[in-house]
């Protein structure tokens, strides 16, 4: 719009100048002749009058623009103006480019100066030692939060100075002296503080735990020493190892000695074996003891030591137990001792890893530097104890305690005790196997004729075996071990052979069977209380019991009903072979059997029931045998009826005297014992 206005103004000026020129040509400079008016065709327009109107001027200008002279003048003048304008634009564009280049260069210099300023600021900030840092390091106690805060600041500045010195920064020399003096002061204060803490662990402990974890909130102190004064850091670590190693050793040696004083006063000895005759020793009932061979092979409540509730229960306090005159089996002492060892070892290992900033093999080595002497002492004590230990259940429980403790340390992510657990198991397993083999040998070498009077009741050796085997089976179910099952299998074979040897000492087969059934039933009952129903031992004795029970029932029915049994078997064999005609010669025999059964079956069943109940110690087993015998008697009489229904015996007069089978069943139910 500005350019258009300029051009219009220029046009006006040209038109006016053209008009003036025409006037000068026609009339002279001041003339007012007709030439001017005719040329410009302005009529009565008087530009000097007050009635001049610009709009009319624009109209006349537009009309005169059509004049060739005006057009040519206007063209020339516009070319000159546009040329000058283009020249001005070119000059301005060049100046703009120059300004842009200068601006870019200035921006680069600004950024460079800002970067240098930032680096210099960082350098200065890293090298300047504020008064708050100096005051805190020199005057504040190490337990105050501000000391720790400024110690971290000092550590950062020392690291920064070391980095700048490596780059050759000369300004580091200005602060090196100050930082060194502060570092020495901080190291001195930290060293004294940590050593004092370590020495305080030597005080008697009331809860049997060393409070080393209290140092964890000062773990940056050791980190500072490790980065600024490695010799002092090594001194503190060595002092910690030496002090804690002695404390743990002293504590466990004392605790172990006191703990063993609350063990049962009489324990199993080398002649307390399964196959040895049981004799109560003098003073046995006067003091807490495991001396009775029956209790040596019985688990009782001892298995609770590996239950989750007792496994991680608080450790035993010996002086408290002594005041209460309490006594414990070895496995309870073993559990308490090793739970204390486990708990302290886990805390110690985790503390070492965090405070001394080690892991992997380095943590393992440092842990054993602290706990190695204690672990070695406890291991040697166990090795010494096991030499004279003959309590297989105690040793087996200790094995399972270790297996469970090993799982606990794995869950706590503490591998430092793995080797110790393996070493302890390497002591326990061979001893357990040796004691078990000694018991196997004692049963194998037992001579029934040297055991005194014979009795059909369960033998004490089989009772010991049942209790002992069920104890080991129930313990082994939680963490099965194939070697244990193999050893128990050997023991079972020897016990079965022993039972057969003793049974052979009875003169009658019936007494032999009563003895076998009583012993099998007792062993099966004890095993089923503690072992799974599908265990090998349960299955084996169930089969033996079933076989001997069936044989006994046949032996039981033979005296009163032997003739009937023999005839039925013979007749069924003849019928099966197609020789039923031979039954025609048996009329007299059959008649005698019918009448004999009818007159004596009630008294025979009564006598049979009483005999069974006298022979078997387990009433439930006796009842089962009676029921089996009566069932077999009914089946026998039913078979007898089928034989008599053959054509050869169908017309026998004595058949009318046969007792109705349903009537017999009703009557026999009256003889079923109720227990």
């Amino acid at each position: 719009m500005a350019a258009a206005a300029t051009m219009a103004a220029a046009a006006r000026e040209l038109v006016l100048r053209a008009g003036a020129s025409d006037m000068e040509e026609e009339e002279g400079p001041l003339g007012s002749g007709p030439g001017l008016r005719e040329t410009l065709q302005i009529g009565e327009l008087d530009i000097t009058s007050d009635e001049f109107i610009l709009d009319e001027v624009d109209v006349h200008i537009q009309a005169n623009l059509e004049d060739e002279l005006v057009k040519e003048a206007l063209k020339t003048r516009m070319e000159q103006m546009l040329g000058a304008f283009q020249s001005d634009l070119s000059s301005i564009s060049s100046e703009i480019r120059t300004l842009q280049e200068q601006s870019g260069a200035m921006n680069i210099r600004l950024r460079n100066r800002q970067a240098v300023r930032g680096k210099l600021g960082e350098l200065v900030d890293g090298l300047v030692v504020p008064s708050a840092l100096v005051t805190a390091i020199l005057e504040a106690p190490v337990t105050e939060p501000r000391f720790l805060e400024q110690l971290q600041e000092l550590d950062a500045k020392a690291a920064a100075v070391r980095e700048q010195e490596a780059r050759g920064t000369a300004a580091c020399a200005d602060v090196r002296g100050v930082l060194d003096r502060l570092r020495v002061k901080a190291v001195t204060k930290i060293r004294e503080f940590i050593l004092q803490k370590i020495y305080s662990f030597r005080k008697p402990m009331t809860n049997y735990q060393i409070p080393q974890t209290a140092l964890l909130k000062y773990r940056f102190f050791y980190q500072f020493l490790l980065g600024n004064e490695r010799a002092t850091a090594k001194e503190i670590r060595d002092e910690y190892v030496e002090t804690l190693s002695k404390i743990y050793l002293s504590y466990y040696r004392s605790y172990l000695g006191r703990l063993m004083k609350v063990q049962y006063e009489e324990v199993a000895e080398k002649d307390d074996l399964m196959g040895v005759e049981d004799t109560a020793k003098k003073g046995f009932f006067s003091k807490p003891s495991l001396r009775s061979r029956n209790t040596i092979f019985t688990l009782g409540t001892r298995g609770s030591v590996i239950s989750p509730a007792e496994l991680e229960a608080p450790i035993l306090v010996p002086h408290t137990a002594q005041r209460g005159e309490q006594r414990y089996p070895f496995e309870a002492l073993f559990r308490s001792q090793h739970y204390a060892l486990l708990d302290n070892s886990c805390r110690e290992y985790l503390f070492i890893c965090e405070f001394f900033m080690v892991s992997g093999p380095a943590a393992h080595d440092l842990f054993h530097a602290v706990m190695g002497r204690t672990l070695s002492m406890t291991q040697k004590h166990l090795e010494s104890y096991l030499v004279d230990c003959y309590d297989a259940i105690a040793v087996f429980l200790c094995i399972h305690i270790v297996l469970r403790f090993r799982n606990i340390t794995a869950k706590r992510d503490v591998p430092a005790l793995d080797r110790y657990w393996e070493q302890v198991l390497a002591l326990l397993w061979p001893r357990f196997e040796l004691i078990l083999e000694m018991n196997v040998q004692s049963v194998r070498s037992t001579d029934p004729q040297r055991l005194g009077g014979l009795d059909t009741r369960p033998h004490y050796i089989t009772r010991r075996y049942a209790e002992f085997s069920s104890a080991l089976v129930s313990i082994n179910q939680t963490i099965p071990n194939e070697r244990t099952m193999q050893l128990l299998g050997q023991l079972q074979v020897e016990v079965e052979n022993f039972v057969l040897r003793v049974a052979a000492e009875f003169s009658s087969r019936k007494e032999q069977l009563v003895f076998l059934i009583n012993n099998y039933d007792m062993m099966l009952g004890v095993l089923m209380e503690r072992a799974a129903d599908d265990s090998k031992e349960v299955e084996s004795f169930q089969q033996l019991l079933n076989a001997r029970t069936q044989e006994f029932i046949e032996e039981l029915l033979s005296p009163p009903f032997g003739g009937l049994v023999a005839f039925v078997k013979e007749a069924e064999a003849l019928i099966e072979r197609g020789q039923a005609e031979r039954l025609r010669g048996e009329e007299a025999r059959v008649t005698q059997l019918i009448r004999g059964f009818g007159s004596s079956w009630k008294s025979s069943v009564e006598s049979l029931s009483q005999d069974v109940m006298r022979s078997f110690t387990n009433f439930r087993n006796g009842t089962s045998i009676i029921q089996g015998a009566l069932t077999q008697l009914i089946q026998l009489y039913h078979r007898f009826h089928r034989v008599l229904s053959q054509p050869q015996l169908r017309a026998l007069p004595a058949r009318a005297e046969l007792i109705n089978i349903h009537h017999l069943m009703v009557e026999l139910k009256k003889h079923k014992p109720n227990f």
Side-chain angles (χ1 to χ4, degrees):
M1 292 179 66
T6 303
M7 292 175 68
R12 290 191 191 98
E13 183 180 354
L14 287 174
V15 172
L16 292 175
R17 289 181 180 179
S21 176
D22 290 340
M23 291 174 62
E24 289 177 358
E25 290 179 0
E26 293 292 334
E27 298 181 1
L30 300 174
S32 56
L36 178 63
R37 293 182 179 270
E38 291 176 359
T39 302
L40 296 177
Q41 297 177 4
I42 59 177
E44 297 299 325
L45 176 64
D46 187 359
I47 60 174
T48 62
S49 67
D50 295 333
E51 291 84 6
F52 176 72
I53 300 173
L54 290 178
D55 290 340
E56 295 178 0
V57 175
D58 289 337
V59 171
H60 289 287
I61 290 174
Q62 184 65 35
N64 287 297
L65 284 174
E66 301 297 328
D67 185 85
E68 292 298 327
L69 180 62
V70 173
K71 286 182 178 180
E72 184 65 25
L74 184 61
K75 178 180 178 182
T76 302
R77 183 173 177 81
M78 290 301 296
E79 286 178 353
Q80 293 174 350
M81 290 177 64
L82 290 175
F85 182 69
Q86 185 176 6
S87 177
D88 291 342
L89 286 177
S90 177
S91 176
I92 291 171
S93 176
S94 176
E95 291 177 0
I96 290 173
R97 284 196 299 271
T98 302
L99 290 174
Q100 287 177 338
E101 292 174 358
Q102 292 175 351
S103 176
M106 291 176 66
N107 285 334
I108 293 173
R109 289 195 296 272
L110 177 62
R111 286 197 297 270
N112 290 338
R113 289 173 181 177
Q114 288 176 338
V116 171
R117 180 179 180 181
K119 293 293 184 180
L120 288 174
E122 292 178 4
L123 176 62
V124 172
D125 290 342
L127 296 180
V128 170
V129 181
S131 59
L133 188 154
V134 176
T135 303
I137 297 299
L138 295 179
E139 300 176 3
V142 296
T143 55
E144 284 191 7
R146 66 187 181 112
F147 178 84
L148 178 59
E149 294 173 1
Q150 295 304 321
L151 183 68
Q152 293 171 335
E153 179 68 16
L154 176 61
D155 186 59
K157 287 190 178 297
V161 168
R162 286 194 295 270
E163 181 181 354
Q164 293 301 326
E165 284 180 334
R167 296 177 179 179
T169 303
C172 295
D174 296 336
V175 295
R176 167 53 65 188
V178 175
L179 290 178
D180 283 344
R181 288 192 293 274
L182 291 175
R183 177 182 58 80
V184 171
K185 183 62 177 180
V187 167
T188 302
K189 293 173 71 172
I190 291 172
R191 175 182 176 278
E192 293 176 355
F193 174 75
I194 296 181
L195 289 179
Q196 188 60 37
K197 281 287 185 182
I198 293 173
Y199 296 150
S200 69
F201 299 155
R202 299 171 181 175
K203 298 177 182 179
M205 295 171 288
T206 57
N207 59 353
Y208 300 99
Q209 290 184 349
I210 300 173
Q212 77 273 46
T213 53
L215 274 175
L216 286 178
K217 62 180 178 180
Y218 304 109
R219 58 182 176 273
F220 183 76
F221 288 179
Y222 184 79
Q223 180 180 342
F224 178 83
L225 295 178
L226 204 59
N228 295 276
E229 192 63 44
R230 299 188 70 87
T232 303
K234 182 179 184 304
E235 177 192 6
I236 286 179
R237 191 176 71 170
D238 292 345
E239 190 64 33
Y240 178 87
V241 169
E242 182 67 19
T243 301
L244 270 293
S245 175
K246 291 179 179 179
I247 292 174
Y248 278 122
L249 180 62
S250 174
Y251 158 62
Y252 275 101
R253 182 181 286 127
S254 174
Y255 180 66
L256 193 53
R258 295 180 180 183
L259 202 59
M260 296 306 294
K261 292 180 181 179
V262 296
Q263 185 183 15
Y264 281 124
E265 295 185 2
E266 294 187 23
V267 296
E269 298 177 356
K270 63 181 179 180
D271 59 342
D272 292 323
L273 300 172
M274 197 171 293
V276 177
E277 185 177 0
D278 190 18
T279 55
K281 295 195 174 184
K282 182 178 180 181
F284 162 64
F285 294 106
S286 61
K287 297 177 180 179
S289 168
L290 277 178
R291 192 64 188 88
S292 170
R293 290 192 180 89
N294 288 334
T295 57
I296 289 172
F297 300 106
T298 303
L299 182 62
T301 60
R302 297 173 68 183
S304 62
V305 73
I306 58 174
S307 67
E310 292 196 22
L311 191 67
E312 297 186 67
I315 64 174
L316 299 176
V317 182
H319 66 269
T320 303
Q322 285 178 322
R323 284 202 304 266
E325 296 185 354
Q326 293 175 289
R327 293 293 182 269
Y328 302 91
F330 177 71
E331 67 271 8
L333 309 182
F334 181 90
R335 196 280 318 173
S336 182
Q337 170 203 353
H338 280 82
Y339 184 65
L341 190 65
L342 177 152
D343 200 39
N344 277 318
S345 294
C346 287
R347 288 189 301 104
E348 185 62 43
Y349 179 80
L350 296 175
F351 170 80
I352 284 174
C353 291
E354 188 170 358
F355 187 82
F356 291 107
M357 296 181 296
V358 291
S359 61
H364 188 275
D365 293 342
L366 187 55
F367 171 81
H368 281 277
V370 175
M371 297 295 298
R373 296 166 66 185
T374 300
L375 296 177
S376 178
M377 183 274 297
T378 55
Q379 183 179 337
K380 288 179 180 178
H381 174 269
L382 177 63
E383 185 176 7
S384 175
Y385 179 86
L386 290 176
V387 171
D388 295 317
C389 177
Y390 298 91
D391 187 349
I393 291 179
V395 178
F396 197 54
L397 284 172
C398 290
I399 289 173
H400 277 264
I401 288 171
V402 172
L403 295 177
R404 285 159 175 78
F405 281 172
R406 186 171 62 181
N407 291 339
I408 291 174
T409 54
K411 289 180 181 178
R412 296 186 184 183
D413 197 21
V414 177
L417 283 176
D418 289 351
R419 185 173 64 183
Y420 175 76
W421 297 136
E422 293 302 323
Q423 291 170 341
V424 171
L425 289 174
L427 295 174
L428 292 171
W429 273 115
R431 189 62 189 179
F432 171 71
E433 294 175 0
L434 175 62
I435 300 172
L436 210 55
E437 290 170 358
M438 292 172 65
N439 280 283
V440 170
Q441 181 59 36
S442 71
V443 175
R444 182 186 296 126
S445 61
T446 299
D447 184 359
Q449 295 182 352
R450 298 175 57 186
L451 296 178
L454 294 175
D455 193 329
T456 59
R457 292 175 297 180
H459 199 275
Y460 65 82
I461 290 180
T462 58
R463 185 175 295 280
R464 290 174 185 170
Y465 163 77
E467 294 286 349
F468 181 71
S469 179
S470 64
L472 298 189
V473 169
S474 63
I475 296 171
N476 198 58
Q477 283 176 341
T478 53
I479 304 180
N481 179 267
E482 187 60 31
R483 177 58 178 160
T484 302
M485 303 312 298
Q486 293 175 357
L487 293 171
L488 283 176
Q490 296 176 13
L491 182 60
Q492 180 181 341
V493 169
E494 294 303 328
V495 170
E496 290 177 4
N497 292 337
F498 167 76
V499 172
L500 293 175
R501 292 201 305 271
V502 176
E505 296 296 315
F506 292 94
S507 57
S508 68
R509 182 57 180 167
K510 180 181 175 182
E511 288 182 312
Q512 293 175 358
L513 291 172
V514 170
F515 175 79
L516 291 174
I517 291 172
N518 275 332
N519 281 273
Y520 293 153
D521 177 65
M522 182 273 299
M523 289 187 285
L524 181 63
V526 174
L527 283 168
M528 290 182 68
E529 286 181 5
R530 298 181 175 88
D533 293 342
D534 59 350
S535 67
K536 294 180 180 179
E537 292 80 8
V538 169
E539 182 180 356
S540 174
F541 285 114
Q542 187 68 66
Q543 293 175 353
L544 291 172
L545 178 62
N546 292 341
R548 299 290 79 82
T549 298
Q550 182 59 37
E551 185 180 352
F552 175 77
I553 289 175
E554 294 176 0
E555 191 74 23
L556 189 66
L557 295 175
S558 181
F561 307 109
L564 185 63
V565 173
F567 172 75
V568 170
K569 289 182 178 180
E570 292 171 9
E572 288 175 341
L574 290 173
I575 294 170
E576 186 179 353
R577 294 197 301 268
Q579 301 174 355
E581 279 300 317
R582 295 175 59 180
L583 293 175
R584 294 186 184 278
E586 299 291 340
E587 289 87 349
R589 181 182 178 187
V590 172
T591 300
Q592 183 180 2
L593 289 173
I594 293 173
R595 291 172 179 171
F597 184 85
S599 63
S600 64
W601 73 270
K602 287 186 178 182
S603 59
S604 296
V605 169
E606 183 68 30
S607 176
L608 177 150
S609 299
Q610 293 177 0
D611 188 18
V612 169
M613 299 313 297
R614 285 194 302 266
S615 299
F616 298 100
T617 55
N618 184 348
F619 288 159
R620 186 181 298 275
N621 185 44
T623 301
S624 176
I625 292 174
I626 293 175
Q627 187 65 33
L630 296 180
T631 301
Q632 192 162 327
L633 178 59
I634 292 173
Q635 293 172 349
L636 173 65
Y637 203 63
H638 182 69
R639 291 161 60 194
F640 184 54
H641 271 252
R642 283 189 299 181
V643 170
L644 295 184
S645 67
Q646 295 294 317
Q648 294 80 6
L649 298 174
R650 193 177 298 163
L652 187 67
R655 288 186 77 249
E657 302 177 30
L658 277 173
I659 299 174
N660 182 275
I661 191 70
H662 297 291
H663 175 70
L664 179 64
M665 292 174 64
V666 172
E667 290 296 319
L668 287 179
K669 283 184 179 180
K670 299 178 182 180
H671 292 271
K672 180 181 178 181
N674 295 316
F675 294 99

